Amino acid sequence: MPIQTVDLPTPDGTADALFVHPGSGTHPGVLLFPDAFGPRPALAEIAEAVAARGYAVLVPNLFYRAGRAPVVELPAVVDPSNRHEVFDRLRPLMEQLTPELALRDAGAYLDWLAAAPEVADGRVGLTGYCMGAALVLRTAAAYPERIAAGAGFHGGRLAGDAADSPHLGVDAITAELYFGHADNDPSLPPEQIERLDKALATAGVRFRAEVYAGAAHGFTQRDLASYDAEADARHLRELGALLDRALS
């Protein structure tokens, strides 16, 4: 399946994105929120795997305001020797992407999917990685009538103490959710997992959350030193099952 680079109009400019679909006909849409490293071959592999199940997958460059992807040049493998340097360049972009801006962008991404001739009518699915998992929560809450399912993997800071923490807006979510948390993840300690579970359960959200034992933060991404092939395969099985239940 060829991967296209497409341009999406947003209220703040033009966002570049990857788009992959199975071919002829229309297919349910999936919006894939990247981690901080953005659209790249590792995420294209995930998009291809999801598309192979019969979905049209859009992977936007969340930092398009700073330029087209790759906004920051990445090493072949992000590991402890270069991670801090990479994040020193990415952190300002992450901080500039406020929840308000991210949700405005998400609306534009959903509009693009709704208008794309390859995408079937109806609600779409979401999946997100690291910071993208928080965007899954926010988007499912902001656009409940447009989202059927959402999954988040090795998400960080999903249920912190900030006044705008993602877990505080889950009351509006109608989608079914799944979370695959990294084990012993400093960005999502056990107390945050418990807080998120409680918020979702109290809101009556259909969800399942699992900690992938022994899998480190970033376990789905082939270009990270923390990549875990077994956990990655598990994530694709769980994501596929969720999307099939909600969108098929």
Side-chain angles (χ1 to χ4, degrees), residues 98-99 134 137-138 156-170 187-189 191-192 195-196 199:
T98 64
L137 276 174
R138 296 190 192 280
R157 293 177 286 281
L158 300 179
D161 298 324
D164 60 354
S165 176
H167 79 289
L168 297 176
V170 300
S187 72
L188 195 75
E191 58 269 22
Q192 286 201 35
R195 190 180 298 155
L196 176 60

Side-chain angles (χ1 to χ4, degrees), residues 20 47 50 77-78 83 122 181 195 206 220 224 235:
V20 58
V50 175
V77 176
V78 178
R83 186 178 181 87
H181 301 306
R195 190 180 298 155
R206 292 168 296 151
T220 63
L224 304 186
H235 124 261

Side-chain angles (χ1 to χ4, degrees), residues 2 8 26 35 39 64 77 137 171 224 241 247:
L8 290 61
T26 61
D35 57 11
Y64 70 88
V77 176
L137 276 174
D171 288 3
L224 304 186
L247 299 177

Side-chain angles (χ1 to χ4, degrees), residues 3-23:
I3 298 178
Q4 302 170 252
T5 299
V6 297
D7 288 339
L8 290 61
T10 80
D12 298 324
T14 300
D16 55 302
L18 304 178
F19 182 56
V20 58
H21 59 89

Side-chain angles (χ1 to χ4, degrees), residues 1 3 18 20 30 32-35 40-53 55 57 59 127-129 153-154 218-223 227 232-233 235-236 239 243:
M1 288 174 290
I3 298 178
L18 304 178
V20 58
V30 174
L32 188 161
F33 288 115
D35 57 11
R40 60 196 193 282
L43 277 177
E45 285 189 18
I46 295 174
E48 286 182 298
V50 175
R53 296 184 71 105
Y55 300 100
V57 186
V59 188
T127 185
Y129 302 86
F153 298 93
H154 47 83
F219 61 77
T220 63
Q221 306 299 307
R222 286 185 180 273
D223 55 359
Y227 176 71
D232 180 26
H235 124 261
L236 289 173
L239 174 59
L243 296 175

